Amino acid sequence: MLLIACTSNAQKQQAQLDQAPQDSVIRFDKSILVFPGGREAQDAFYAKLDSLKNDKLSNVSIWQVGGSHVQGGSFPTRLRDKFQEFAGKGERGFLFPRQLAGTHEDKSVRITTEGNWFAPMLTKSSKEEKPRYGITGFAARCDSAASIGLNIDPKKKGLWHFKQIRLLGYSSSKKAYPELYVGNKKCKHVWDTLTASYFYDLPKVTDSVRIDFVVPEGEYFVFTGLQPLTGKKGVNHYGSGVNGARVTAWADQVEDLERDLHLIKPDLVLFGLGINDSACDSLTFSPDKFKEGYRRLIKKVHAVSPDCAMIFITNNDSYRYVKGGMDYNPNADEVRTAMMELAEEYNAGVWDLYGVMGERNSVHEWLKVGYISKDKLHFTYKGYRRIADLIFDAIITDWNNTKK
């Protein structure tokens, strides 16, 4: 009865949203999940959600991976909020001080840094040898003393607190290591051999910690992320996005991805990679190479969660960066076809964002109503929130359809 009531409210809210003038550009009839092959894994995911809502399961984990659409934060944050409002507020996800890599931050938290860091972007070339990357898609190396401060609730709204935290990273030797403080109290860590991480039980529930990195001369420490843990029942949503990332970046260049996936063991993976892979002319884009890259990435996911559900999110209609400006990206149809073929191969689902937008040249209409930014590639804040609402509603509608 609770599920029906929640769904009824969601449908009323959706109806109100559908009446908004800017939503005239949305093809609501296309905002559905499609399963070209089987759907057993998706139904198993729904069974886990049922168990979670009926207090027979503690957590369900979702991993959303992509490029700038995910790194920007608005899309995964809204989707996380929707799932957690629906089935319980679990974990918040991984964090990294992206300013070290010279790129935009997650503005919902405050992360400060001190010291000299080398943090090359995963998607950019570097004259120096890059560190190993993990599930955040970011990494930073310090060769001398440095520090990082985290405040997960900077506006003091009481939204997030944690009682444990995991630090991801590695060092040149045991001589280089992190020291974590809650206030002035130094906390002891337990080294987790399986995930090669530092795990801390904190003396009290908090929203802030400071990490000092002890790095003697000739040593180094590489930091790849933080995982604050609440221990609460609900949906755990983890977003991993890096500007410019292609499928091959996540499949081939993130060396510790498979290891780090053990930290979340996803029950559902949302694949949103394709916009950067297809940012070329139609003769250059290779659907076969694109699919092969996805197969290598899926192999890593299945090594950790062999029975997880998967949903492919097709490209938005868009422009692409070219020398001297922007040009139309002609490959969205090819990407959609490739994703449909992958979904059939792996018994996965597809949410067709390209179709929801109205397909070819629909980007112009979405720009007019303020859902797409001026570069005609990225969404605006309200645009990202809108597509998050749409995919969430599509998933819940599909779930309810299985109960009829």
Side-chain angles (χ1 to χ4, degrees):
M1 293 298 293
L2 177 61
L3 174 60
I4 295 172
C6 290
T7 305
S8 178
N9 289 335
Q11 288 172 338
K12 289 177 182 177
Q13 292 171 1
Q14 181 64 50
Q16 292 172 353
L17 287 169
D18 291 352
Q19 296 172 6
Q22 63 266 34
D23 282 354
S24 61
V25 301
I26 297 173
R27 289 290 306 273
F28 287 100
D29 59 314
K30 301 292 184 180
S31 189
I32 57 175
L33 296 189
V34 177
F35 295 88
R39 55 170 298 137
E40 292 82 4
Q42 189 69 25
D43 290 339
F45 171 71
Y46 294 152
K48 292 177 183 178
L49 274 182
D50 274 323
S51 294
L52 176 62
K53 290 181 73 67
N54 292 323
D55 293 321
K56 296 179 181 179
L57 191 67
S58 296
N59 295 97
V60 168
S61 292
I62 300 171
W63 183 46
Q64 182 179 2
V65 60
S68 56
H69 289 336
V70 178
Q71 183 189 320
S74 299
F75 185 14
T77 296
R78 178 66 168 180
L79 199 51
R80 181 187 68 223
D81 290 347
K82 297 288 286 187
F83 271 108
Q84 292 185 344
E85 287 169 6
F86 184 72
K89 189 175 181 179
E91 305 299 350
R92 191 199 180 286
F94 297 99
L95 299 169
F96 184 89
R98 297 172 190 162
Q99 72 264 30
L100 293 177
T103 187
H104 54 274
E105 283 285 5
D106 181 342
K107 295 180 181 178
S108 65
V109 300
R110 181 180 296 131
I111 307 180
T112 59
T113 63
E114 293 182 6
N116 295 318
W117 295 88
F118 170 64
M121 286 283 288
L122 170 69
T123 51
K124 294 182 180 180
S125 59
S126 172
K127 293 180 180 179
E128 296 184 48
E129 182 181 355
K130 288 184 175 183
R132 295 200 315 268
Y133 297 93
I135 196 165
T136 65
F138 290 89
R141 185 179 71 228
C142 59
D143 300 316
S144 57
S147 68
I148 290 174
L150 167 66
N151 186 331
I152 201 171
D153 189 26
K155 296 182 179 179
K156 300 300 178 185
K157 293 184 176 181
L159 297 177
W160 290 101
H161 293 84
F162 52 95
K163 61 180 180 179
Q164 298 171 321
I165 192 166
R166 190 182 300 274
L167 187 150
L168 309 180
Y170 62 93
S171 62
S172 52
S173 75
K174 291 183 179 180
K175 295 178 181 178
Y177 55 89
E179 291 184 337
L180 186 141
Y181 293 83
V182 176
N184 294 321
K185 185 173 180 58
K186 184 165 72 172
C187 306
K188 293 182 179 180
H189 73 264
V190 174
W191 174 253
D192 186 340
T193 305
L194 176 63
T195 59
S197 62
Y198 302 80
F199 182 80
Y200 298 85
D201 257 320
L202 305 180
K204 63 178 182 178
V205 175
T206 184
D207 61 7
S208 304
V209 295
R210 186 184 85 253
I211 306 109
D212 292 341
F213 295 90
V214 178
V215 185
E217 186 175 353
E219 305 288 342
Y220 65 82
F221 192 95
V222 173
F223 170 74
T224 60
L226 291 170
Q227 183 188 21
L229 297 165
T230 67
K232 292 182 178 179
K233 168 184 171 293
V235 176
N236 305 331
H237 185 281
Y238 299 90
S240 299
V242 179
N243 286 353
R246 300 181 180 189
V247 175
T248 50
W250 284 102
D252 305 327
Q253 296 172 243
V254 182
E255 299 170 82
D256 293 332
L257 177 60
E258 184 177 322
R259 183 200 70 192
D260 289 354
L261 281 170
H262 280 281
L263 295 171
I264 60 176
K265 295 179 180 175
D267 299 298
L268 170 66
V269 177
L270 302 175
F271 288 119
L273 294 157
I275 197 76
N276 296 305
D277 305 76
S278 64
C280 55
D281 60 64
S282 56
L283 295 177
T284 304
F285 178 65
S286 170
D288 289 337
K289 289 182 179 179
F290 177 65
K291 289 187 290 184
E292 191 53 43
Y294 255 119
R295 291 186 185 106
R296 294 195 298 275
L297 179 56
I298 292 169
K299 184 177 180 181
K300 290 187 175 183
V301 172
H302 278 171
V304 178
S305 294
D307 300 319
C308 73
M310 299 183 293
I311 296 174
F312 294 91
I313 301 173
T314 66
N315 284 6
N316 53 295
D317 189 49
S318 67
Y319 276 59
R320 60 189 174 95
Y321 289 104
V322 296
K323 188 176 181 179
M326 304 290 289
D327 194 13
Y328 186 72
N329 185 335
N331 298 311
D333 272 310
E334 292 279 7
V335 169
R336 179 171 59 184
T337 298
M339 286 184 168
M340 288 289 185
E341 291 169 354
L342 285 166
E344 182 176 15
E345 180 179 344
Y346 288 99
N347 294 325
V350 177
W351 185 68
D352 185 14
L353 175 56
Y354 181 56
V356 169
M357 287 186 68
E359 301 190 356
R360 190 175 180 84
N361 290 318
S362 58
V363 65
H364 300 287
E365 299 305 312
W366 281 58
L367 174 64
K368 290 178 183 177
V369 299
Y371 280 154
I372 285 282
S373 65
K374 292 179 180 179
D375 64 6
K376 290 177 283 190
L377 170 59
H378 300 96
F379 291 85
T380 59
Y381 172 72
K382 69 176 183 179
Y384 280 119
R385 288 172 63 85
R386 196 66 185 97
I387 62 172
D389 289 347
L390 289 166
I391 189 172
F392 174 79
D393 289 341
I395 291 171
I396 299 305
T397 297
D398 185 69
W399 179 15
N400 283 309
N401 286 340
T402 66
K403 300 176 181 297
K404 294 178 180 179

